Amino acid sequence: MSVLTVVLALFTALSNASASVLQRRAATDQAEGGRGIRQAVRWLAQVLRRPHWLAGTGLLVLSTVLQASALAVGSLSVVQPLLAGELLFTLMVGSVVFHRRPNRRTWLAFAALAAGLALFLGAAAPSAGRTTAVAGRWAVTGGAVLCAVVVLLGAALLVAGAPRAVLLGLASAVSFAATAALMKEVVGHLGQGVDVVLTQWPPYAGIVAGTVGFLLLQSALRAGSLSASQPALTLGDALTSVALGWVLFEEHIGLGLRVLPEAVGVALIGAGSVGLASALAAGGAWDTAPGRRNGSGPGAQEPSPQRS
């Protein structure tokens, strides 16, 4: 694991976190237009013109460039999990943008999630693997990814609020992990020449997967707080990327004596998830626009004072 890979991945995490915060700010600025596809499209069209959303989109473009650069010098299962730093960056940037600090439970939950993922992956020490996917594995893997996204999206349509934000965040995470894997595939073929790469399918599949992930992310940010969507997005992306790295690029994780710290990491992730659920139940709505009601929908309640 090179220093350059770590630096590029952490800057990607900061850029991703800032993008999510800014686009969440745009979502809370825009009043809810009701349910249904037509209302959602109208709401999105209005949000797209807001300065916070445009700034967030610019940061997403920057993070894509940074992520591609990191993948060019590091493995998928190293680069993607380092994005766990996105969780803490979200709280830091969010505190500035929303002028409201998350409560102590939220901070502790996010810290446990980030530390647990870092410990798990540090102990696992994923191998570098191949620069391109094993021949013939993309078809089955792509079908499995598509099914997972469809199932998560279908489940999200049956619920509302924080559960919907979590499910949409997970669906977006799977899509973005697939995008990263496709990006890794494209970078691995660049030695053949850009003109040759552009005649192959991975660049275009990556654009489709990235677009789907982007739209699902907007829906997650509309559905509920960053405290619900961001952990699902970050952890789901990292763990799905590890799985895709193993299946497609033969990137393996260490076992044996390393199982113990890996288990501690998993336990921290579990504890963080429970703590986050408790924080959400306590109504820690810190990511709403200053001077507005809690949430973007009509009839929302004033946020309760936050304790640090």
Side-chain angles (χ1 to χ4, degrees):
M1 184 189 303
S2 70
V3 173
L4 180 59
T5 300
V6 174
V7 170
L8 288 170
L10 289 178
F11 271 113
T12 301
L14 176 59
S15 184
N16 275 336
S18 301
S20 292
V21 169
L22 290 171
Q23 291 190 333
R24 170 64 180 170
R25 171 63 188 271
T28 59
D29 282 340
Q30 180 61 45
E32 192 72 66
R35 293 192 176 187
I37 296 179
R38 180 179 300 178
Q39 289 79 6
V41 171
R42 183 181 304 167
W43 176 87
L44 182 59
Q46 293 172 336
V47 168
L48 296 186
R49 298 194 294 266
R50 292 192 171 274
H52 284 104
W53 188 91
L54 293 172
T57 300
L59 286 171
L60 279 179
V61 173
L62 174 61
S63 69
T64 300
V65 174
L66 290 170
Q67 185 179 35
S69 301
L71 289 170
V73 295
S75 68
L76 181 70
S77 54
V78 169
V79 171
Q80 292 300 105
L82 281 171
L83 300 186
E86 184 177 330
L87 289 168
L88 298 181
F89 287 141
T90 297
L91 297 184
M92 295 174 187
V93 177
S95 297
V96 175
V97 171
F98 291 104
H99 306 294
R100 190 178 291 123
R101 290 181 299 172
N103 61 30
R104 186 174 300 169
R105 288 182 183 179
T106 302
W107 274 105
L108 290 174
F110 272 55
L113 289 169
L117 185 59
L119 179 59
F120 172 79
L121 292 158
S127 63
R130 299 165 53 96
T131 56
T132 58
V134 177
R137 292 190 183 177
W138 265 116
V140 175
T141 304
V145 167
L146 179 60
C147 288
V149 171
V150 170
V151 169
L152 288 167
L153 180 57
L157 295 176
L158 300 177
V159 295
R164 174 175 287 186
V166 170
L167 290 169
L168 289 171
L170 283 173
S172 179
V174 173
S175 298
F176 282 135
T179 304
L182 288 163
M183 193 184 302
K184 178 74 173 176
E185 183 78 2
V186 170
V187 170
H189 284 287
L190 281 180
Q192 302 173 4
V194 175
D195 54 337
V196 174
V197 171
L198 292 178
T199 64
Q200 300 170 345
W201 62 269
Y204 309 102
I207 291 173
V208 172
T211 301
V212 170
F214 175 79
L215 293 174
L216 288 170
L217 174 59
Q218 303 312 306
S219 298
L221 294 174
R222 182 191 184 200
S225 168
L226 285 168
S227 295
S229 62
Q230 199 67 15
L233 175 65
T234 304
L235 296 178
D237 191 348
L239 297 178
T240 303
S241 293
V242 170
L244 291 178
W246 173 59
V247 173
L248 294 171
F249 302 101
E250 297 187 338
E251 298 174 356
H252 299 290
I253 63 174
L255 297 175
L257 293 177
R258 295 178 179 176
V259 170
L260 180 58
E262 289 169 4
V264 174
V266 171
L268 280 172
I269 291 174
S273 300
V274 172
L276 188 58
S278 175
L280 288 169
W286 56 274
D287 57 336
T288 53
R292 287 186 63 88
R293 289 171 176 246
N294 180 16
S296 55
Q301 300 299 314
E302 293 290 342
S304 57
Q306 299 298 305
R307 293 182 299 174
S308 59

